[in-house]
Amino acid sequence: MPGCFLPPHFLRVLSSTGNRRHSCTSPHFAFLQTVSLLPPSTAISLKRQQAAENRRDAILNGQLRRQIMVLAIPTLTQQFLTFCVGMFDTWLAGQIDAAATTAIGVSAYVGWLAGLLVSTVSIGTTALVARHVGANEPDQANRVLGVSMLVGQLLCVCMAGMLYLTAPLFVSSFQLTGTTQQVALNYLRLDAIGHVLTGATLVGSAALRGAGDMKRPMAVLGAISVLNMLVSVALVYGVGPESTLWFPVTVVGPQGVYGIAGGTVAARLAGGVIMLAVLFRGSEPIRLQPSLLRFDRAIIGRLSHLGRYAGLDSIINWCGQFTFLMIIRRVVVEGVHDDAVFAAHVIGIQVEAITYLPAIAWGSAAATMIGQSMGAKKLKRAYHAGLEATAQCCVLGVLVTIAFFFGSQAIYELMHTDEQVVRVGVPAFQAMSWFQVPLIILLVLRVALQGAGDTRWPMLATVVGIFCLRLPGAWFFGVYLQMGLLGAWTGMFFDIIFRCLLMSWRYLKAQWLRIKV
């Protein structure tokens, strides 16, 4: 079994077993026959190593279309469960009041910052792990994991403290007043606590995906998504003899909107602990070893080389989106209260996250295929992987477009009880439906390029798209011309089209195939 991770003496045993007269000529049969003679712990270890080798071989040599789907579907499942959490939280807030929905929206944007900062490490982790696994260098991949985990976790601990302390600044920047201001402030501070272990979850998932293991991240993140929803509903309505969730004794009283934050915090902390347990146990060839949790200048330098543009991209993107949100807050629609416009925007963006589900899933599949193929010097396969992933995902994009356009009224009526929110949101959401396929092309190719180590061009696209198109367009059409939420979203539409065209041009030019990491 060339390229296998097994020790040489086991390879000799397998070879000799396969040549025995009474055995099958299949190498797989010989492997199973040999494993059956070993102690249980050794046999399990060998089976894991063989599974990792089979996974690597399928990624590098299997039928391209099938392998893209095999890699994408577990991530799509995980993304769907995460999306359900966001939708469920927004729905819960909508059953309380518009102030609760506003708090959810502000928290989503602020909490997004922590994930973006960790992405400066996780993007580099995926690219490096994929290259090393593709080149059959598992020891180097594990060194990258150890360093990335340490750096990513330190970033998140610092970020959690910063978000807690600066929560009043974020709230004041949205010009919130009265009850809405207090609810948003308390919600942000509770939410910040949950980011303490975000680094472990995101970096661990990035490393596993780089190695081609999509199922374990799906299992961990899927489990915490379910936990999030269960804990949130229990805390929002309470559990006891007089609560909506009946129980003979009082377990917890109704916490209202703060119960949603409590569910999020519980799920994030549990996710970090579970991911660390999975990594310490190991998923061949990836295993988190305590001895490798140390700073390594060479690896940090490689991560910094990949992450400097990704980090700038993340910060620029967040600043642009945060500014976009403040512009939305200043949009005035005659006869509609301010919270209604903002709530309509929050619901629209939350529902549009459906488009991100397949885009991120197929983009992650392309990034894994591209990284490992480039590590194995299979550049033609790397190039076609991104094109195949984009084509598959665009089919889903057409279905999303149809569902958004014809289902906009039903979606808003389901998500909020305020008629003004529905009236403002439906026309804008119908217009947004026509831009879902360009958005998918942009997202898939962006993630694919980052998986190849090309992080500079996505950053440049973000700078131009957001600061030259999205923000000026949102202010001009939404605030100056007073075209409401649809006017503000017009700037977003220009941004999506521009970045879609630029990412397509960059990918098709194929200069990224020469990038070294």
Side-chain angles (χ1 to χ4, degrees):
M1 289 177 289
C4 185
F5 304 136
L6 300 180
H9 62 281
F10 279 124
L11 294 177
R12 289 195 293 271
V13 171
L14 294 180
S15 176
S16 63
T17 305
N19 291 327
R20 288 177 182 171
R21 185 175 179 182
H22 63 273
S23 66
C24 178
T25 57
S26 165
H28 180 65
F29 182 85
F31 173 80
L32 293 177
Q33 187 180 46
T34 301
V35 166
S36 67
L37 302 176
L38 298 173
S41 59
T42 305
I44 292 173
S45 177
L46 293 182
K47 287 180 180 178
R48 289 177 182 168
Q49 291 183 24
Q50 180 63 22
E53 179 65 14
N54 292 341
R55 184 170 61 234
R56 175 177 175 272
D57 180 69
I59 289 173
L60 297 178
N61 302 303
Q63 205 274 334
L64 184 62
R65 180 165 297 172
R66 180 179 183 277
Q67 289 306 313
I68 288 288
M69 295 190 70
V70 166
L71 291 172
I73 289 175
T75 305
L76 178 63
T77 304
Q78 173 255 304
Q79 290 285 328
F80 175 73
L81 289 172
T82 302
F83 163 78
C84 288
V85 172
M87 289 292 292
F88 187 71
D89 287 352
T90 305
W91 177 82
L92 274 180
Q95 309 312 301
I96 300 172
D97 53 32
T101 304
T102 299
I104 291 288
V106 173
S107 174
Y109 273 88
V110 175
W112 182 31
L113 178 60
L116 289 177
L117 285 179
V118 179
S119 72
T120 64
V121 179
S122 63
I123 289 172
T125 301
T126 298
L128 292 178
V129 168
R131 290 287 184 99
H132 285 306
V133 171
N136 203 8
E137 298 170 346
D139 290 340
Q140 290 296 321
N142 284 322
R143 288 181 59 202
V144 170
L145 171 61
V147 176
S148 299
M149 182 62 69
L150 183 60
V151 174
Q153 193 51 49
L154 286 175
L155 273 177
C156 272
V157 171
C158 295
M159 177 54 57
M162 189 199 79
L163 291 178
Y164 187 90
L165 294 175
T166 58
L169 295 177
F170 288 115
V171 171
S172 62
S173 67
F174 285 101
Q175 297 183 338
L176 302 179
T177 58
T179 302
T180 303
Q181 180 187 41
Q182 191 60 45
V183 168
L185 176 61
N186 294 336
Y187 194 100
L188 280 178
R189 284 179 166 166
L190 282 171
D191 190 65
I193 299 172
H195 289 295
V196 171
L197 289 179
T198 297
T201 306
L202 297 183
V203 171
S205 297
L208 290 170
R209 287 175 182 148
D213 185 352
M214 306 302 203
K215 293 182 180 179
R216 283 178 175 80
M218 174 196 71
V220 173
L221 295 174
I224 66 176
S225 295
V226 174
L227 176 65
N228 191 334
M229 290 186 283
L230 293 176
V231 175
S232 291
V233 73
L235 293 178
V236 167
Y237 296 111
V239 179
E242 298 182 0
S243 301
T244 304
L245 300 178
W246 185 88
F247 197 73
V249 296
T250 300
V251 178
V252 60
Q255 304 298 313
V257 67
Y258 303 128
I260 302 176
T264 302
V265 170
R268 284 179 182 158
L269 295 178
V273 172
I274 295 171
M275 180 59 73
L276 287 173
V278 168
L279 292 172
F280 277 119
R281 184 174 184 270
S283 169
E284 297 293 345
I286 293 296
R287 185 185 299 276
L288 184 60
Q289 303 170 34
S291 61
L292 297 180
L293 287 169
R294 63 175 185 269
F295 293 106
D296 184 305
R297 285 188 177 182
I299 294 177
I300 291 177
R302 296 171 71 192
L303 288 170
S304 299
H305 177 71
L306 292 169
R308 59 183 176 179
Y309 292 120
L312 283 173
D313 186 4
S314 298
I315 293 172
I316 291 168
N317 194 21
W318 183 85
C319 290
Q321 296 290 359
F322 195 79
T323 306
F324 182 61
L325 200 62
M326 288 192 288
I327 292 175
I328 297 294
R329 186 65 189 174
R330 287 159 176 78
V331 171
V332 176
V333 177
E334 187 176 354
V336 174
H337 61 85
D338 293 342
D339 282 344
V341 177
F342 194 82
H345 170 78
V346 170
I347 291 171
I349 296 302
Q350 287 279 16
V351 175
E352 191 200 24
I354 292 176
T355 302
Y356 284 73
L357 308 184
I360 298 302
W362 265 262
S364 298
T368 299
M369 291 282 290
I370 288 171
Q372 292 202 23
S373 297
M374 291 178 73
K377 310 300 181 185
K378 296 191 172 189
L379 301 186
K380 185 176 180 180
R381 185 174 179 83
Y383 179 78
H384 287 291
L387 298 179
E388 178 62 33
T390 304
Q392 290 183 15
C393 202
C394 281
V395 175
L396 297 176
V398 173
L399 299 178
V400 170
T401 296
I402 295 171
F404 279 4
F405 184 81
F406 291 103
S408 57
Q409 183 77 27
I411 289 171
Y412 268 84
E413 289 177 349
L414 174 66
M415 293 300 297
H416 215 288
T417 56
D418 192 327
E419 293 182 359
Q420 292 185 357
V421 173
V422 176
R423 178 157 58 90
V424 171
V426 170
F429 194 74
Q430 286 183 324
M432 184 169 65
S433 67
W434 297 106
F435 295 87
Q436 299 312 296
V437 171
L439 179 61
I440 278 178
I441 295 172
L442 154 65
L443 293 172
V444 173
L445 294 182
R446 172 192 175 89
V447 177
L449 288 171
Q450 290 175 336
D454 187 356
T455 54
R456 186 164 71 101
W457 275 91
M459 182 206 70
L460 294 175
T462 299
V463 172
V464 178
I466 288 183
F467 290 99
C468 296
L469 295 172
R470 180 179 294 232
L471 298 182
W475 181 85
F476 181 74
F477 292 105
V479 178
Y480 183 74
L481 295 183
Q482 296 185 354
M483 293 175 60
L485 185 61
L486 176 59
W489 281 6
T490 301
M492 179 173 66
F493 303 154
F494 288 147
D495 172 28
I496 290 172
I497 294 297
F498 167 76
R499 284 200 276 171
C500 169
L501 294 174
L502 186 60
M503 288 295 95
S504 299
W505 172 82
R506 175 62 179 173
Y507 191 92
L508 293 173
K509 201 172 181 182
Q511 290 184 346
W512 51 272
L513 288 169
R514 296 195 289 267
I515 292 176
K516 298 185 183 298
V517 298

